[in-house]
Coordinates of all heavy atoms in Angstrom, one line a residue:
M28 N 138.7 41.7 -112.0 CA 139.7 42.4 -112.8 C 141.0 41.5 -112.9 O 141.4 41.0 -111.9 CB 140.1 43.7 -112.0 CG 141.0 44.6 -112.8 SD 140.1 45.4 -114.3 CE 141.5 46.4 -115.0
Q29 N 141.5 41.3 -114.1 CA 142.6 40.4 -114.3 C 143.8 41.2 -114.3 O 143.9 42.3 -114.7 CB 142.5 39.7 -115.6 CG 141.5 38.6 -115.6 CD 141.5 37.9 -117.0 OE1 142.0 38.4 -118.0 NE2 140.9 36.7 -117.0
S30 N 144.9 40.8 -113.7 CA 146.2 41.4 -113.7 C 146.7 40.9 -115.1 O 146.2 40.1 -115.8 CB 147.1 40.9 -112.7 OG 147.5 39.6 -112.9
N31 N 148.0 41.5 -115.5 CA 148.5 41.0 -116.8 C 149.3 39.8 -116.6 O 150.0 39.4 -117.6 CB 149.2 42.2 -117.5 CG 150.4 42.7 -116.6 OD1 150.6 42.2 -115.5 ND2 151.2 43.6 -117.1
K32 N 149.3 39.2 -115.5 CA 150.0 37.9 -115.3 C 148.9 36.8 -115.0 O 147.8 37.2 -114.4 CB 150.9 38.0 -114.0 CG 152.0 39.1 -114.2 CD 153.3 38.5 -114.8 CE 154.3 39.7 -115.1 NZ 155.1 40.1 -114.1
G33 N 149.2 35.6 -115.3 CA 148.3 34.6 -115.1 C 148.1 34.1 -113.7 O 148.8 34.6 -112.8
K34 N 147.3 33.1 -113.5 CA 147.2 32.6 -112.2 C 148.4 31.7 -111.9 O 148.9 31.1 -112.9 CB 145.9 31.9 -112.0 CG 145.9 30.4 -112.4 CD 144.5 29.8 -112.1 CE 144.4 28.4 -112.6 NZ 144.9 27.4 -111.7
I35 N 148.8 31.7 -110.6 CA 150.0 30.8 -110.3 C 149.6 29.4 -110.5 O 148.7 28.9 -109.9 CB 150.4 31.1 -108.9 CG1 150.8 32.6 -108.7 CG2 151.5 30.2 -108.5 CD1 151.0 33.0 -107.2
Y36 N 150.4 28.7 -111.4 CA 150.1 27.3 -111.6 C 151.1 26.4 -110.8 O 150.6 25.4 -110.3 CB 150.4 27.0 -113.1 CG 150.1 25.5 -113.4 CD1 148.9 25.0 -113.5 CD2 151.2 24.6 -113.5 CE1 148.6 23.7 -113.7 CE2 151.1 23.3 -113.8 CZ 149.8 22.8 -113.8 OH 149.5 21.5 -114.0
D37 N 152.4 26.8 -110.7 CA 153.2 26.0 -109.9 C 154.3 26.9 -109.2 O 154.4 28.1 -109.6 CB 154.0 24.9 -110.8 CG 154.6 23.8 -110.1 OD1 154.5 23.7 -108.8 OD2 155.2 22.9 -110.8
K38 N 155.1 26.3 -108.3 CA 156.0 27.2 -107.6 C 157.4 27.0 -108.1 O 158.4 27.4 -107.4 CB 155.9 26.9 -106.1 CG 156.2 25.5 -105.6 CD 156.1 25.4 -104.1 CE 156.4 24.0 -103.7 NZ 156.2 23.9 -102.2
K39 N 157.5 26.3 -109.2 CA 158.9 26.0 -109.8 C 158.8 26.0 -111.3 O 157.7 25.8 -111.8 CB 159.5 24.7 -109.3 CG 158.6 23.5 -109.5 CD 159.2 22.3 -108.8 CE 158.4 21.1 -109.1 NZ 156.9 21.1 -108.9
P40 N 159.9 26.2 -111.9 CA 159.9 26.3 -113.4 C 159.8 24.8 -114.0 O 159.9 23.8 -113.3 CB 161.3 26.9 -113.8 CG 162.2 26.7 -112.6 CD 161.2 26.6 -111.4
F41 N 159.7 24.7 -115.2 CA 159.5 23.4 -115.9 C 160.6 23.3 -117.0 O 160.7 24.2 -118.0 CB 158.1 23.4 -116.5 CG 157.8 22.1 -117.1 CD1 157.0 21.2 -116.4 CD2 158.2 21.6 -118.4 CE1 156.6 19.9 -116.8 CE2 157.8 20.4 -118.9 CZ 157.1 19.5 -118.1
K42 N 161.4 22.3 -117.0 CA 162.5 22.1 -118.0 C 161.9 21.3 -119.2 O 161.2 20.3 -118.9 CB 163.7 21.4 -117.4 CG 164.4 22.2 -116.3 CD 165.7 21.4 -115.7 CE 166.2 22.1 -114.6 NZ 167.2 21.3 -113.9
F43 N 162.2 21.8 -120.3 CA 161.7 21.1 -121.4 C 162.7 21.1 -122.7 O 163.2 22.1 -122.9 CB 160.4 21.6 -121.9 CG 159.6 20.9 -122.9 CD1 158.8 19.8 -122.6 CD2 159.7 21.2 -124.3 CE1 158.2 19.0 -123.5 CE2 159.1 20.5 -125.2 CZ 158.3 19.4 -124.9
N44 N 162.9 20.0 -123.3 CA 163.8 19.9 -124.5 C 163.1 20.4 -125.7 O 162.1 19.7 -126.1 CB 164.3 18.4 -124.7 CG 165.5 18.1 -123.9 OD1 166.5 18.9 -124.0 ND2 165.5 17.1 -123.1
C45 N 163.5 21.4 -126.3 CA 162.9 22.0 -127.5 C 163.7 21.6 -128.6 O 165.0 21.4 -128.6 CB 162.7 23.5 -127.4 SG 161.5 24.0 -126.1
I46 N 163.0 21.5 -129.8 CA 163.7 21.2 -131.0 C 163.9 22.5 -131.9 O 163.0 23.2 -132.1 CB 162.8 20.2 -131.8 CG1 162.3 19.0 -131.1 CG2 163.5 19.8 -133.2 CD1 163.4 18.0 -130.7
K47 N 165.1 22.6 -132.4 CA 165.4 23.8 -133.2 C 164.4 24.1 -134.3 O 164.0 23.1 -135.1 CB 166.8 23.6 -133.8 CG 167.2 24.8 -134.7 CD 168.6 24.6 -135.3 CE 169.0 25.8 -136.1 NZ 170.3 25.7 -136.7
G48 N 163.9 25.3 -134.4 CA 162.9 25.7 -135.4 C 161.5 25.4 -135.1 O 160.6 25.8 -135.8
K49 N 161.2 24.6 -134.1 CA 159.9 24.2 -133.7 C 159.1 25.4 -132.9 O 159.9 26.0 -132.2 CB 159.9 22.9 -133.0 CG 158.5 22.3 -132.8 CD 158.5 20.8 -132.3 CE 157.0 20.5 -132.1 NZ 156.9 19.3 -131.2
S50 N 157.9 25.5 -133.1 CA 157.2 26.6 -132.4 C 156.5 26.0 -131.2 O 155.9 24.9 -131.3 CB 156.2 27.1 -133.5 OG 155.4 28.0 -132.7
Y51 N 156.5 26.7 -130.1 CA 155.8 26.3 -128.9 C 155.1 27.4 -128.3 O 155.4 28.6 -128.4 CB 157.0 25.9 -127.8 CG 157.8 24.8 -128.2 CD1 159.0 25.1 -128.9 CD2 157.6 23.4 -127.9 CE1 159.8 24.0 -129.4 CE2 158.4 22.4 -128.4 CZ 159.5 22.7 -129.1 OH 160.3 21.7 -129.5
M52 N 153.9 27.1 -127.8 CA 153.0 28.1 -127.3 C 152.9 28.0 -125.8 O 152.3 27.0 -125.3 CB 151.6 27.9 -127.9 CG 151.5 28.2 -129.3 SD 152.0 29.8 -129.9 CE 150.3 30.6 -129.7
W53 N 153.6 28.9 -125.1 CA 153.6 28.8 -123.7 C 152.3 29.4 -123.1 O 151.9 30.5 -123.5 CB 154.8 29.7 -123.2 CG 155.0 29.8 -121.7 CD1 155.5 28.9 -120.9 CD2 154.7 31.0 -121.0 NE1 155.6 29.4 -119.6 CE2 155.0 30.7 -119.6 CE3 154.1 32.2 -121.2 CZ2 154.8 31.6 -118.6 CZ3 153.9 33.1 -120.2 CH2 154.3 32.8 -118.8
C54 N 151.7 28.7 -122.1 CA 150.5 29.2 -121.4 C 150.8 30.4 -120.5 O 151.7 30.2 -119.6 CB 149.9 28.0 -120.6 SG 148.6 28.6 -119.4
S55 N 150.2 31.4 -120.7 CA 150.4 32.6 -119.9 C 149.3 32.8 -118.9 O 149.5 33.5 -117.9 CB 150.6 33.9 -120.7 OG 149.3 34.2 -121.3
C56 N 148.2 32.2 -119.0 CA 147.0 32.4 -118.1 C 147.1 31.5 -117.0 O 146.5 31.8 -115.9 CB 145.7 32.2 -118.9 SG 145.3 30.5 -119.4
G57 N 147.8 30.4 -117.1 CA 147.9 29.5 -115.9 C 146.7 28.4 -115.9 O 146.7 27.6 -115.0
W58 N 145.8 28.4 -116.9 CA 144.6 27.5 -116.8 C 144.9 26.2 -117.6 O 144.0 25.4 -117.6 CB 143.4 28.3 -117.1 CG 142.9 29.2 -116.2 CD1 143.2 30.6 -116.1 CD2 142.1 29.0 -115.1 NE1 142.7 31.1 -115.1 CE2 141.9 30.2 -114.4 CE3 141.4 27.8 -114.6 CZ2 141.1 30.3 -113.2 CZ3 140.7 27.9 -113.4 CH2 140.6 29.1 -112.7
S59 N 145.9 26.2 -118.5 CA 146.1 25.0 -119.3 C 146.2 23.8 -118.5 O 146.9 23.9 -117.4 CB 147.2 25.3 -120.2 OG 147.6 24.1 -121.0
K60 N 145.8 22.7 -119.1 CA 146.0 21.4 -118.4 C 147.2 20.7 -119.1 O 147.4 19.5 -118.8 CB 144.7 20.5 -118.5 CG 143.6 21.1 -117.7 CD 142.4 20.2 -117.9 CE 141.2 20.7 -117.0 NZ 140.9 22.1 -117.4
S61 N 147.9 21.4 -120.0 CA 149.1 20.8 -120.6 C 150.3 21.7 -120.3 O 151.1 22.0 -121.2 CB 148.9 20.8 -122.2 OG 147.7 20.1 -122.4
Q62 N 150.5 22.1 -119.1 CA 151.5 23.0 -118.7 C 152.9 22.5 -119.0 O 153.1 21.2 -118.9 CB 151.4 23.2 -117.2 CG 150.2 24.0 -116.8 CD 150.1 25.4 -117.3 OE1 151.2 26.0 -117.7 NE2 149.0 26.0 -117.3
P63 N 153.8 23.3 -119.4 CA 153.8 24.7 -119.4 C 153.1 25.3 -120.7 O 153.2 26.5 -120.9 CB 155.2 25.2 -119.2 CG 156.0 24.2 -120.0 CD 155.2 22.9 -119.7
F64 N 152.5 24.5 -121.5 CA 152.1 24.9 -122.8 C 150.6 25.2 -122.8 O 149.8 24.6 -122.0 CB 152.6 24.0 -123.9 CG 154.1 23.8 -123.9 CD1 154.7 22.6 -123.6 CD2 154.9 24.9 -124.2 CE1 156.0 22.5 -123.5 CE2 156.3 24.8 -124.1 CZ 156.9 23.7 -123.8
C65 N 150.2 25.9 -123.8 CA 148.8 26.2 -124.0 C 148.0 25.0 -124.5 O 148.4 24.3 -125.4 CB 148.6 27.3 -125.0 SG 147.1 27.8 -125.5
D66 N 146.8 24.8 -123.9 CA 145.8 23.9 -124.5 C 144.5 24.5 -125.0 O 143.5 23.9 -125.0 CB 145.6 22.8 -123.5 CG 144.7 23.3 -122.3 OD1 144.4 24.5 -122.2 OD2 144.2 22.5 -121.5
Q67 N 144.6 25.8 -125.1 CA 143.4 26.6 -125.6 C 142.3 26.9 -124.5 O 141.3 27.4 -124.9 CB 142.8 25.9 -126.9 CG 143.7 25.7 -128.0 CD 144.3 27.0 -128.6 OE1 143.6 28.0 -128.7 NE2 145.6 27.0 -129.0
T68 N 142.6 26.6 -123.3 CA 141.6 26.8 -122.3 C 141.3 28.3 -122.3 O 140.2 28.7 -121.9 CB 142.2 26.4 -120.9 OG1 142.4 25.0 -121.0 CG2 141.2 26.7 -119.7
H69 N 142.3 29.2 -122.6 CA 141.9 30.7 -122.5 C 140.8 31.1 -123.4 O 140.3 32.1 -123.2 CB 143.3 31.5 -122.9 CG 143.7 31.2 -124.3 ND1 144.5 30.2 -124.7 CD2 143.3 32.0 -125.4 CE1 144.8 30.3 -126.0 NE2 144.1 31.4 -126.5
R70 N 140.4 30.2 -124.4 CA 139.3 30.5 -125.3 C 138.0 30.2 -124.7 O 136.9 30.6 -125.2 CB 139.5 29.7 -126.5 CG 140.6 30.2 -127.3 CD 140.7 29.5 -128.7 NE 141.7 30.1 -129.6 CZ 141.8 29.9 -130.8 NH1 141.0 29.0 -131.5 NH2 142.8 30.3 -131.5
N71 N 138.0 29.5 -123.5 CA 136.7 29.2 -122.8 C 136.1 30.4 -122.3 O 136.7 31.0 -121.4 CB 137.0 28.2 -121.8 CG 135.8 27.6 -121.1 OD1 134.7 28.3 -121.1 ND2 135.8 26.4 -120.5
P72 N 134.9 30.8 -122.8 CA 134.3 32.1 -122.4 C 133.9 32.1 -120.9 O 133.9 33.1 -120.3 CB 133.2 32.2 -123.3 CG 132.8 30.8 -123.8 CD 134.2 30.1 -123.9
H73 N 133.9 30.9 -120.3 CA 133.5 30.8 -118.9 C 134.6 31.5 -118.1 O 134.3 32.1 -117.0 CB 133.4 29.3 -118.5 CG 133.3 29.0 -117.1 ND1 132.0 29.2 -116.3 CD2 134.1 28.6 -116.1 CE1 132.3 29.0 -115.1 NE2 133.5 28.6 -114.9
Y74 N 135.8 31.4 -118.4 CA 137.0 31.9 -117.6 C 137.2 33.4 -117.8 O 137.8 34.1 -117.1 CB 138.2 31.2 -117.8 CG 138.2 29.8 -117.4 CD1 138.2 28.7 -118.3 CD2 138.1 29.4 -116.1 CE1 138.2 27.4 -117.9 CE2 138.0 28.1 -115.6 CZ 138.1 27.0 -116.5 OH 138.1 25.8 -116.2
R75 N 136.7 33.9 -119.0 CA 136.8 35.3 -119.3 C 138.3 35.8 -119.3 O 138.7 36.8 -118.7 CB 136.1 36.3 -118.4 CG 134.6 36.1 -118.5 CD 133.9 36.9 -117.6 NE 132.4 36.7 -117.7 CZ 131.4 37.6 -117.5 NH1 131.8 38.8 -117.0 NH2 130.2 37.3 -117.6
I76 N 139.2 34.9 -119.9 CA 140.6 35.2 -119.9 C 141.0 36.2 -121.1 O 140.6 35.9 -122.2 CB 141.3 33.9 -120.0 CG1 141.1 33.0 -118.8 CG2 142.9 34.1 -120.2 CD1 141.6 31.5 -118.9
T77 N 141.7 37.2 -120.7 CA 142.2 38.1 -121.8 C 143.6 37.8 -122.2 O 144.1 38.3 -123.2 CB 142.0 39.6 -121.3 OG1 142.9 39.7 -120.1 CG2 140.6 40.0 -121.0
M78 N 144.3 37.1 -121.4 CA 145.7 36.7 -121.8 C 145.8 35.8 -122.9 O 144.9 35.0 -123.1 CB 146.5 36.2 -120.5 CG 146.8 37.2 -119.5 SD 146.9 36.4 -117.8 CE 145.2 36.3 -117.5
R79 N 146.9 35.9 -123.6 CA 147.0 35.0 -124.7 C 148.4 34.2 -124.6 O 149.3 34.7 -123.9 CB 147.1 35.8 -126.1 CG 145.7 36.3 -126.4 CD 144.7 35.3 -126.6 NE 143.4 35.8 -126.8 CZ 142.4 35.9 -125.8 NH1 142.7 35.4 -124.7 NH2 141.2 36.3 -126.1
P80 N 148.5 33.0 -125.3 CA 149.8 32.4 -125.1 C 151.0 33.1 -125.8 O 150.8 34.0 -126.6 CB 149.6 31.1 -125.8 CG 148.4 31.3 -126.7 CD 147.5 32.4 -126.1
V81 N 152.1 32.8 -125.3 CA 153.4 33.4 -125.9 C 154.1 32.4 -126.8 O 154.4 31.2 -126.3 CB 154.3 33.8 -124.7 CG1 155.7 34.3 -125.3 CG2 153.7 34.9 -123.8
R82 N 154.2 32.7 -128.0 CA 154.9 31.8 -129.0 C 156.4 31.9 -128.8 O 157.0 33.0 -128.6 CB 154.6 32.2 -130.4 CG 155.2 31.3 -131.4 CD 154.9 31.8 -132.8 NE 153.5 31.8 -133.1 CZ 152.7 30.8 -133.6 NH1 153.3 29.6 -133.7 NH2 151.4 30.9 -133.8
F83 N 157.0 30.7 -128.8 CA 158.5 30.7 -128.7 C 159.0 29.7 -129.8 O 158.5 28.6 -129.9 CB 158.9 30.1 -127.4 CG 160.4 29.7 -127.2 CD1 161.3 30.6 -127.4 CD2 160.7 28.4 -127.0 CE1 162.7 30.3 -127.3 CE2 162.0 28.0 -126.9 CZ 163.0 28.9 -127.1
I84 N 159.8 30.2 -130.7 CA 160.4 29.3 -131.7 C 161.9 29.0 -131.3 O 162.7 30.0 -131.2 CB 160.4 30.0 -133.1 CG1 158.9 30.3 -133.5 CG2 161.1 29.1 -134.1 CD1 158.7 31.1 -134.7
A85 N 162.2 27.8 -131.0 CA 163.5 27.4 -130.4 C 164.6 27.7 -131.5 O 164.6 27.1 -132.5 CB 163.4 26.0 -130.0
P86 N 165.5 28.6 -131.1 CA 166.7 28.8 -131.9 C 167.6 27.7 -132.0 O 168.4 27.6 -132.9 CB 167.3 30.0 -131.3 CG 166.9 30.0 -129.9 CD 165.6 29.3 -129.8
E87 N 167.6 26.8 -131.1 CA 168.5 25.5 -131.1 C 167.8 24.5 -130.3 O 166.9 24.7 -129.4 CB 169.9 25.9 -130.6 CG 169.9 26.5 -129.2 CD 171.4 26.9 -128.8 OE1 172.2 26.0 -128.8 OE2 171.5 28.1 -128.5
T88 N 168.2 23.3 -130.6 CA 167.7 22.1 -129.9 C 168.5 22.0 -128.5 O 169.7 21.8 -128.5 CB 168.0 20.8 -130.7 OG1 167.2 20.9 -131.9 CG2 167.5 19.6 -129.8
K89 N 167.8 22.2 -127.4 CA 168.3 22.1 -126.2 C 167.2 22.2 -125.1 O 166.1 22.4 -125.4 CB 169.4 23.2 -125.9 CG 168.9 24.6 -125.8 CD 169.9 25.6 -125.4 CE 169.3 26.9 -124.8 NZ 170.2 27.7 -124.1
E90 N 167.6 22.1 -123.9 CA 166.7 22.2 -122.8 C 166.5 23.7 -122.4 O 167.5 24.4 -122.2 CB 167.2 21.4 -121.6 CG 166.2 21.4 -120.4 CD 166.8 20.5 -119.2 OE1 167.6 21.1 -118.5 OE2 166.4 19.4 -119.1
Y91 N 165.2 24.1 -122.3 CA 164.9 25.4 -121.9 C 164.2 25.4 -120.6 O 163.5 24.4 -120.3 CB 164.0 26.1 -122.9 CG 164.7 26.5 -124.2 CD1 164.8 25.5 -125.3 CD2 165.4 27.6 -124.4 CE1 165.6 25.8 -126.5 CE2 166.1 27.9 -125.6 CZ 166.1 27.0 -126.6 OH 166.9 27.2 -127.7
I92 N 164.3 26.4 -119.8 CA 163.6 26.4 -118.5 C 162.5 27.5 -118.5 O 162.6 28.7 -118.5 CB 164.6 26.8 -117.3 CG1 165.8 25.8 -117.4 CG2 163.9 26.9 -116.0 CD1 166.8 26.1 -116.4
F93 N 161.2 26.9 -118.7 CA 160.0 27.6 -118.9 C 159.5 28.0 -117.5 O 159.5 27.2 -116.6 CB 159.0 26.9 -119.6 CG 159.3 26.7 -121.1 CD1 159.9 25.6 -121.5 CD2 158.9 27.7 -122.0 CE1 160.3 25.4 -122.9 CE2 159.3 27.6 -123.3 CZ 160.0 26.4 -123.8
C94 N 158.9 29.3 -117.4 CA 158.2 29.7 -116.2 C 157.0 28.9 -116.1 O 156.3 28.8 -117.0 CB 157.9 31.2 -116.4 SG 156.8 31.7 -115.0
N95 N 156.7 28.4 -114.8 CA 155.4 27.7 -114.7 C 154.7 28.4 -113.5 O 153.5 27.9 -113.1 CB 155.7 26.2 -114.4 CG 154.7 25.4 -115.2 OD1 154.0 25.9 -116.0 ND2 154.6 24.1 -114.9
C96 N 155.2 29.5 -112.9 CA 154.4 30.2 -111.9 C 153.6 31.2 -112.6 O 152.6 31.8 -112.1 CB 155.3 30.8 -110.8 SG 156.2 32.2 -111.3
K97 N 153.9 31.6 -113.9 CA 153.3 32.6 -114.7 C 153.4 34.0 -114.3 O 152.8 34.9 -114.7 CB 151.7 32.2 -114.8 CG 151.4 30.8 -115.1 CD 152.0 30.3 -116.4 CE 151.9 28.8 -116.7 NZ 152.6 28.3 -117.8
Q98 N 154.4 34.2 -113.4 CA 154.7 35.6 -112.9 C 156.0 36.2 -113.4 O 156.3 37.3 -113.1 CB 154.7 35.6 -111.3 CG 153.5 34.9 -110.6 CD 152.1 35.3 -111.2 OE1 151.8 36.5 -111.1 NE2 151.3 34.4 -111.8
S99 N 156.6 35.4 -114.3 CA 157.9 35.9 -114.8 C 157.8 37.2 -115.6 O 156.8 37.3 -116.3 CB 158.6 34.8 -115.7 OG 159.7 35.3 -116.3
S100 N 158.9 38.0 -115.5 CA 158.9 39.2 -116.4 C 159.7 38.9 -117.7 O 159.8 39.8 -118.5 CB 159.5 40.3 -115.7 OG 158.7 40.7 -114.5
K101 N 160.2 37.7 -117.8 CA 160.9 37.3 -119.0 C 160.2 36.1 -119.7 O 160.8 35.1 -120.1 CB 162.3 36.8 -118.6 CG 163.2 38.0 -118.2 CD 164.7 37.4 -118.0 CE 165.6 38.7 -117.7 NZ 166.9 38.2 -117.4
R102 N 158.9 36.3 -119.9 CA 158.1 35.2 -120.4 C 158.6 34.8 -121.9 O 159.0 35.7 -122.6 CB 156.6 35.7 -120.6 CG 156.1 36.2 -119.3 CD 154.6 36.6 -119.3 NE 154.3 37.4 -120.5 CZ 153.0 37.6 -120.8 NH1 152.0 37.1 -120.1 NH2 152.8 38.2 -122.0
P103 N 158.6 33.6 -122.1 CA 158.1 32.4 -121.4 C 159.0 31.8 -120.4 O 158.8 30.7 -119.9 CB 157.7 31.4 -122.5 CG 158.9 31.6 -123.5 CD 159.2 33.1 -123.5
F104 N 160.2 32.4 -120.2 CA 161.2 31.7 -119.4 C 161.2 32.2 -117.9 O 160.6 33.3 -117.5 CB 162.6 32.1 -119.9 CG 162.7 31.7 -121.4 CD1 162.8 32.7 -122.3 CD2 162.5 30.4 -121.8 CE1 162.9 32.3 -123.7 CE2 162.6 30.0 -123.1 CZ 162.8 31.0 -124.1
C105 N 161.7 31.3 -117.1 CA 161.8 31.6 -115.6 C 162.9 32.7 -115.4 O 163.9 32.7 -116.0 CB 162.3 30.3 -115.0 SG 162.7 30.5 -113.2
D106 N 162.5 33.6 -114.6 CA 163.5 34.7 -114.1 C 163.8 34.7 -112.7 O 164.3 35.6 -112.1 CB 163.0 36.1 -114.6 CG 161.7 36.5 -113.9 OD1 161.2 35.7 -113.1 OD2 161.3 37.7 -114.1
G107 N 163.3 33.6 -112.0 CA 163.5 33.5 -110.6 C 162.4 34.1 -109.7 O 162.4 34.0 -108.5
T108 N 161.3 34.8 -110.4 CA 160.3 35.3 -109.6 C 159.5 34.3 -108.8 O 159.1 34.7 -107.7 CB 159.3 36.0 -110.6 OG1 159.9 37.0 -111.3 CG2 158.1 36.6 -109.8
H109 N 159.6 33.0 -109.2 CA 158.8 32.0 -108.4 C 159.4 31.9 -107.0 O 158.7 31.3 -106.1 CB 158.9 30.6 -109.1 CG 160.3 30.1 -109.2 ND1 161.2 30.3 -110.2 CD2 160.9 29.3 -108.3 CE1 162.3 29.7 -110.0 NE2 162.2 29.0 -108.8
K110 N 160.5 32.4 -106.7 CA 161.1 32.3 -105.3 C 160.5 33.2 -104.3 O 160.8 33.1 -103.2 CB 162.7 32.4 -105.4 CG 163.5 31.4 -106.2 CD 164.9 31.7 -106.4 CE 165.5 30.7 -107.3 NZ 166.8 31.2 -107.8
R111 N 159.7 34.1 -104.8 CA 159.1 35.0 -103.9 C 158.2 34.3 -102.9 O 157.5 33.3 -103.3 CB 158.3 36.1 -104.6 CG 159.1 37.1 -105.4 CD 158.4 38.3 -105.8 NE 157.0 38.2 -106.1 CZ 156.4 38.6 -107.1 NH1 157.0 39.2 -108.1 NH2 155.1 38.4 -107.2
E112 N 158.1 34.7 -101.7 CA 157.4 34.0 -100.7 C 156.0 33.8 -101.0 O 155.4 32.8 -100.7 CB 157.5 34.9 -99.4 CG 157.3 34.1 -98.1 CD 157.6 35.0 -96.9 OE1 158.6 35.5 -96.8 OE2 156.7 35.1 -96.0
E113 N 155.3 34.9 -101.5 CA 153.9 34.7 -101.8 C 153.6 33.7 -102.9 O 152.5 33.0 -102.9 CB 153.2 36.0 -102.2 CG 153.7 36.7 -103.4 CD 154.9 37.5 -103.4 OE1 155.7 37.4 -102.4 OE2 155.1 38.4 -104.2
I114 N 154.6 33.4 -103.8 CA 154.3 32.4 -104.8 C 154.6 31.0 -104.2 O 153.8 30.1 -104.4 CB 155.3 32.6 -106.0 CG1 154.8 34.0 -106.7 CG2 155.2 31.5 -107.0 CD1 155.7 34.5 -107.8
Q115 N 155.7 30.9 -103.3 CA 155.9 29.6 -102.7 C 154.7 29.3 -101.8 O 154.3 28.1 -101.7 CB 157.1 29.7 -101.9 CG 158.4 29.8 -102.8 CD 158.6 28.6 -103.6 OE1 158.7 27.5 -103.1 NE2 158.7 28.7 -105.0
A116 N 154.1 30.3 -101.1 CA 153.0 30.0 -100.2 C 151.7 29.7 -101.0 O 150.8 29.0 -100.4 CB 152.8 31.3 -99.3
A117 N 151.6 30.1 -102.2 CA 150.4 29.9 -103.0 C 150.2 28.5 -103.3 O 149.0 28.0 -103.5 CB 150.3 30.8 -104.2
I118 N 151.3 27.8 -103.5 CA 151.2 26.4 -103.9 C 151.9 25.5 -102.7 O 153.0 25.7 -102.5 CB 152.0 26.2 -105.2 CG1 151.5 27.0 -106.3 CG2 152.0 24.7 -105.5 CD1 150.2 26.6 -106.8
R119 N 151.1 24.7 -102.2 CA 151.6 23.9 -101.0 C 151.7 22.4 -101.5 O 150.8 21.7 -101.1 CB 150.6 24.0 -99.8 CG 150.6 25.4 -99.2 CD 151.8 25.4 -98.2 NE 151.8 26.8 -97.6 CZ 152.9 27.4 -97.3 NH1 154.1 26.9 -97.6 NH2 152.8 28.7 -96.8
S120 N 152.7 22.0 -102.2 CA 152.8 20.6 -102.5 C 154.3 20.3 -102.8 O 155.1 21.2 -102.9 CB 152.0 20.3 -103.7 OG 152.5 21.1 -104.8
Ligands
FES224 FE1 157.9 31.5 -112.9 FE2 160.4 30.8 -112.2 S1 158.8 29.5 -112.6 S2 159.7 32.8 -112.6

C-alpha cells in the first residue's frame, strides 16, 4: 500500500535557480534519478507508482527551495518537514 507521499529521497531540500515562465516537473514519488525533478520513472510498471509529478511554473527568475525528502505538505517546496527525526534517520549520509 502506497502512502500519498513518495519515498524519502534525501534529508535536505534542493536549491535550484528557475527561469520565469518555465515549467518544472517536481518528482513526488522519490524514484527519479534526476532529483528533485521527474525523469518519468513513475511510469515504470515495475514500481507500481500511483503518484504523479507536480508541475511548477516559475513566476519569476530566482532560486527556489524544492523539497527533496518528498514528505512536504507544501509540494513542491520544502516546508521543514525534513527536519523530523525519522526523516533524518532514514538517510545516513
Ligand atoms: Fe522535504 Fe524540506 S526537504 S520538507
Side-chain angles (χ1 to χ4, degrees):
M28 188 72 178
Q29 286 183 342
S30 74
N31 60 358
K32 302 268 171 82
K34 83 178 179 88
I35 297 170
Y36 178 78
D37 199 357
K38 61 180 179 182
K39 59 186 182 307
F41 190 97
K42 294 178 185 173
F43 190 80
N44 270 312
C45 295
I46 309 292
K47 181 179 180 179
K49 194 171 171 195
S50 174
Y51 299 87
M52 297 296 275
W53 176 79
C54 166
S55 69
C56 71
W58 288 93
S59 171
K60 292 179 179 62
S61 303
Q62 295 292 345
F64 303 114
C65 173
D66 71 352
Q67 303 296 322
T68 298
H69 65 274
R70 292 188 174 188
N71 184 333
H73 172 75
Y74 295 115
R75 299 180 177 201
I76 294 169
T77 57
M78 285 155 282
R79 294 294 173 264
V81 174
R82 181 184 299 276
F83 168 63
I84 299 173
E87 55 185 299
T88 298
K89 69 169 198 168
E90 184 177 81
Y91 291 88
I92 302 175
F93 290 93
C94 168
N95 225 9
C96 75
K97 311 304 175 184
Q98 312 305 303
S99 174
S100 296
K101 290 188 176 173
R102 308 182 316 165
F104 306 113
C105 172
D106 70 352
T108 300
H109 67 271
K110 294 176 185 160
R111 288 196 335 227
E112 199 172 308
E113 67 271 24
I114 294 173
Q115 291 296 304
I118 304 287
R119 293 275 179 219
S120 60

